[in-house]
């Protein structure tokens, strides 16, 4: 069964030329946490998603995959 993709954090980081480590440092979280978000193994809280959007200067909606 294919893994469901719920967020685009990895794609947005690539678009912005940022690394997981840079995002982790700016959010004061562990790098493995960001890695789990990027692989959709774990999802960030809504509050953290807004913090991610603020750090990367993007609209929070840029990080969400539309459900069909």
């Amino acid at each position: 069964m294919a893994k469901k993709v719920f967020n685009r954090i990895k794609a947005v980081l690539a678009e912005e030329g940022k690394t997981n480590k840079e995002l982790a440092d700016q959010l004061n979280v562990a790098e493995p946490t960001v890695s789990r978000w990027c692989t959709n193994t774990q999802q960030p809280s809504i509050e953290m998603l807004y913090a991610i959007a603020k750090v990367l200067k993007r609209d929070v909606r840029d990080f969400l995959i539309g459900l069909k």
Side-chain angles (χ1 to χ4, degrees):
M1 185 171 183
K3 180 186 272 190
K4 292 207 179 236
V5 177
F6 294 104
N7 73 61
R8 297 185 60 249
I9 295 171
K10 183 177 182 177
V12 173
L13 282 172
E15 291 167 10
E16 297 293 325
K18 303 273 186 185
T19 66
N20 290 5
K21 181 170 179 12
E22 290 172 319
L23 182 60
D25 290 345
Q26 290 179 304
L27 294 172
N28 199 30
V29 298
E31 190 176 348
T33 300
V34 175
S35 179
R36 287 190 295 272
W37 296 338
C38 288
T39 60
N40 280 284
T41 304
Q42 178 182 352
Q43 299 303 313
S45 67
I46 296 297
E47 294 84 4
M48 186 58 73
L49 197 58
Y50 274 93
I52 293 166
K54 184 175 180 181
V55 165
L56 295 175
K57 298 179 176 94
R58 300 287 287 259
D59 188 293
V60 72
R61 292 173 289 189
D62 291 344
F63 297 93
L64 301 173
I65 302 290
L67 298 176
K68 296 178 181 168

